[in-house]
Amino acid sequence: MADQTTSRRHAAGRDDEPPTLVVKRGVRAEDHTQILRYTPTGTTLLPRVKDEPPPEEPTPTAAPGLRIPGWKQWLLFLAPAVVCFAIGWQGVGQRNLWNDEYATYHAATLSFDDLFKLLDNVDRVLGLYYVFMHGWMSVAGDSIAMLRLPSVVAMAFAAGFVALVGQRLLNTNAGLVAGLVFALIPTVTRYSQEARSYAFAVAFAALATWLLMIALERPVWGFWLLYAVAVGLTAAFHLISVLILFPHILLTWFRYQRSDRDVRLWKSLGALALIASLAMPMAYAGSGQSDAIGWIKADRHAVMKFPADLFGSKPAAIALIGVGLLAVLILAFAKRGKLAIVFAVWTLVPPVFTFVTHPLLNAFLFRYLLFTLIGWALLAAGGIYGVVRLMSSRSWPQLPIAAAVIAALVLVTLPAQHALRESVLPGESDFAAAAKTVAAGSKTEDGIAYAGNVRALRRAMEYEMRSDTTAWPADMFEVKTAAERGDFGAEECAQTLPCVGKRNRIWLVNTSKGDDPWVGMKPERSDTLRRLFKVSEHWNHQEIHIYLLVRRTPVK
């Protein structure tokens, strides 16, 4: 029997003609599924033989209203991205750098030979970020604002991609809410204003999730390759962020569990294999440097603090977790149980996994798990938008209701946002004030000594005095610089007395607790200095002490 074809061709120059319907020979009409295929001459509605029965509920990647025009997608991306950038840029240089950021500065100022020597000993998993910052600082300079600007931009991109992911998993309005909620989380602001790699890891995690949505919709090798590269970059900027694969694998499983013969499943498995080939070498390279994170705790106190640390404050944690629980109920009521499971895995499984594996990985730390905030923002958006829909079935009141809910979230997070703009965060040392104290009173013949357990102590003081090194006392105990050692700390004299020499004044910078100047150094050094010197003056700054030691019997 000849093919039965009914067609209506487009008139010249017209795009509003109905598409062509093609029915293949020997296939019943009820065995077809209509799909859109774009051609140079217009849109053609083609049937496709179904390879699976219809799902009982919508899959997490097949939400209503999936396709929106490109310009709307750009607006959806830009709105939360601009908000996130504005919040992150506000006061970006107001807060002093802290210990880890000083380490970034030190690593980024090294030559490539010295940088690779450093990475061979410590922070190997941050190599890509240090290389990027090396290039960035050579162009933008080393001010606090410029050191943090890449993180501000990265987190803004993350907010935009969160909105695009929300549009595909929920709907357009909920996607916008998700992006705005993400931008308002205090921890997002905190790490957009930090010269570390966490914002990059979150941004690539959000990008990878969006690319996964596209690959599941249009399963061609190109999208799967881009997705795999995005996940690889997520791991490259912070290895623990590769746990984003937990919800990704679940999304892929829900999409393909009814079509295990579909070649698209093998494409997704190929992408996972490529991800493993990228991530496993980094995991192996960093496994020998686990001592650097041996201080991380996974005790009861750490567990109790985790929610407030993750969200930036207790009120923010209570609000977002409460809305998240509400969203789970709404999704279950709306027969979107699979999506609720995805969000639960996204937000809860990575912290539980790092807690259970703590003796092996030492990774139960909230800032290692910032990518879970993407899931929390999406979950909160589902709850907020669900409440908005329950309050009004009409479209026009929904916008002011959603705006009121967002405004309430702003009020909840506002105290934490203000606290982030303090000059020094709680628990961190005020190296800037300490450097000013030393610079104001130092003399040419003075020396300087360091005590305490802050690994980048010298690097911090050097950064704060970088604009006027002539006023800086000689580091009399340093015999091998950090760059020469390939580490963040210098090698010091084995014996104190020969290095002290004839100096009559020493500036002692000590980050140890209490007011005892001799704490935080080895016994031989403390005994020698106590015998030869007395404390002439003492300055207390936040988490740091400055002592001016004067020789008991001056040497000429």
Side-chain angles (χ1 to χ4, degrees):
M1 182 184 297
D3 289 354
Q4 298 177 356
T5 304
T6 305
S7 64
R8 181 179 298 172
R9 300 186 179 275
H10 290 272
R14 296 184 59 184
D15 295 328
D16 56 351
E17 292 291 336
T20 302
L21 179 64
V22 180
V23 181
K24 291 185 177 179
R25 180 177 56 186
V27 181
R28 295 176 302 172
E30 58 269 21
D31 289 336
H32 288 78
T33 301
Q34 293 179 340
I35 61 173
L36 288 175
R37 186 179 73 183
Y38 296 94
T39 66
T41 58
T43 304
T44 304
L45 195 62
L46 296 175
R48 176 170 61 91
V49 178
K50 292 190 292 184
D51 54 4
E52 59 182 69
E56 297 176 0
E57 62 172 276
T59 60
T61 59
L66 194 60
R67 295 181 182 275
I68 60 175
W71 65 271
K72 286 188 176 181
Q73 292 193 46
W74 276 107
L75 288 178
L76 183 62
F77 175 89
L78 287 174
V82 169
V83 171
C84 190
F85 181 88
I87 296 174
W89 185 248
Q90 177 65 35
V92 68
Q94 186 172 326
R95 188 180 73 248
N96 293 343
L97 300 181
W98 74 288
N99 182 45
D100 283 5
E101 291 181 287
Y102 289 120
T104 295
Y105 167 76
H106 170 68
T109 54
L110 297 174
S111 67
F112 281 115
D113 288 341
D114 290 336
L115 177 57
F116 293 144
K117 186 189 299 183
L118 173 72
L119 297 177
D120 195 45
N121 294 322
V122 66
D123 277 357
R124 192 174 296 159
V125 295
L126 298 179
L128 179 61
Y129 177 70
Y130 287 154
V131 169
F132 169 80
M133 289 301 293
H134 179 95
W136 170 254
M137 285 176 55
S138 66
V139 175
D142 57 7
S143 68
I144 293 178
M146 288 299 102
L147 284 174
R148 290 171 173 166
L149 177 57
S151 294
V152 179
V153 174
M155 204 65 91
F157 271 81
F161 286 121
V162 168
L164 294 179
V165 172
Q167 184 262 327
R168 281 170 166 77
L169 290 178
L170 298 164
N171 55 53
T172 301
N173 292 337
L176 177 60
V177 171
L180 295 176
V181 168
F182 179 84
L184 293 173
I185 297 175
T187 320
V188 169
T189 304
R190 164 77 170 84
Y191 289 96
S192 70
Q193 294 186 341
E194 179 164 314
R196 293 297 277 176
S197 66
Y198 303 112
F200 286 80
V202 174
F204 278 107
L207 170 62
T209 307
W210 179 61
L211 289 172
L212 176 64
M213 300 295 98
I214 296 177
L216 291 174
E217 297 164 18
R218 300 178 60 190
V220 297
W221 279 114
F223 290 124
W224 283 114
L225 178 61
L226 290 174
Y227 163 71
V229 171
V231 176
L233 289 171
T234 302
F237 281 104
H238 200 279
L239 186 58
I240 300 301
S241 298
V242 79
L243 297 182
I244 191 71
L245 286 176
F246 281 140
H248 287 186
I249 291 172
L250 198 58
L251 283 167
T252 305
W253 171 252
F254 282 148
R255 176 64 180 86
Y256 292 144
Q257 63 177 331
R258 294 181 180 275
S259 57
D260 53 357
R261 294 178 299 169
D262 198 326
V263 71
R264 293 172 294 181
L265 176 60
W266 298 105
K267 292 180 180 180
S268 62
L269 294 178
L272 292 176
L274 179 57
I275 291 167
S277 68
L278 295 172
M280 291 303 293
M282 288 183 283
Y284 177 77
S287 61
Q289 300 177 345
S290 58
D291 291 344
I293 55 175
W295 56 269
I296 298 175
K297 305 294 183 183
D299 52 15
R300 181 177 178 274
H301 179 67
V303 173
M304 296 299 293
K305 283 182 54 184
F306 185 85
D309 287 342
L310 180 64
F311 293 102
S313 69
K314 287 183 179 179
I318 293 172
L320 291 170
I321 292 174
V323 174
L325 293 175
L326 178 62
V328 170
L329 297 177
I330 291 174
L331 289 171
F333 180 77
K335 297 182 179 180
R336 300 294 302 277
K338 290 180 180 178
L339 190 56
I341 294 173
V342 169
F343 288 148
V345 169
W346 198 329
T347 55
L348 300 179
V349 170
V352 171
F353 177 82
T354 53
F355 176 79
V356 172
T357 61
H358 176 73
L360 178 64
L361 299 179
N362 284 334
F364 184 70
L365 189 65
F366 74 96
R367 58 177 175 263
Y368 291 180
L369 301 168
L370 293 180
F371 66 91
T372 62
L373 293 177
I374 301 172
W376 281 110
L378 293 168
L379 194 56
I384 293 172
Y385 191 73
V387 170
V388 169
R389 291 293 299 270
L390 290 174
M391 294 177 66
S392 176
S393 59
R394 297 182 179 180
S395 59
W396 66 267
Q398 291 177 7
L399 182 60
I401 295 174
V405 175
I406 294 294
L409 183 61
V410 170
L411 293 177
V412 169
T413 59
L414 195 58
Q417 293 284 355
H418 280 304
L420 292 174
R421 272 83 179 173
E422 296 292 335
S423 59
V424 186
L425 290 176
E428 297 301 326
S429 301
D430 192 350
F431 291 108
K436 289 179 181 178
T437 298
V438 176
S442 64
K443 298 180 180 180
T444 305
E445 66 275 9
D446 290 353
I448 191 168
Y450 299 95
N453 57 0
V454 176
R455 69 170 181 168
L457 202 160
R458 278 181 169 85
R459 311 289 78 80
M461 297 295 283
E462 288 173 1
Y463 174 83
E464 298 299 341
M465 285 296 297
R466 68 196 184 282
S467 60
D468 187 12
T469 56
T470 59
W472 199 243
D475 191 343
M476 58 187 190
F477 291 131
E478 184 181 60
V479 296
K480 196 172 184 180
T481 66
E484 293 170 340
R485 292 185 67 230
D487 204 343
F488 290 107
E491 182 179 331
E492 296 189 339
C493 298
Q495 296 296 320
T496 302
L497 189 58
C499 291
V500 170
K502 296 183 179 181
R503 285 188 175 84
N504 290 318
R505 302 200 331 163
I506 298 175
W507 295 88
L508 176 61
V509 181
N510 199 327
T511 56
S512 301
K513 303 293 184 181
D515 293 332
D516 186 351
W518 318 114
V519 175
M521 61 183 75
K522 58 185 181 180
E524 185 271 339
R525 177 160 300 166
S526 63
D527 293 341
T528 302
L529 292 178
R530 186 187 291 112
R531 176 169 52 86
L532 296 177
F533 294 85
K534 63 181 180 181
V535 177
S536 174
E537 294 185 74
H538 175 207
W539 295 266
N540 277 331
H541 301 294
Q542 181 173 312
E543 300 295 330
I544 193 169
H545 306 277
I546 306 298
Y547 303 93
L548 177 58
L549 307 181
V550 178
R551 203 161 192 136
R552 296 179 185 276
T553 304
V555 178
K556 296 183 180 180

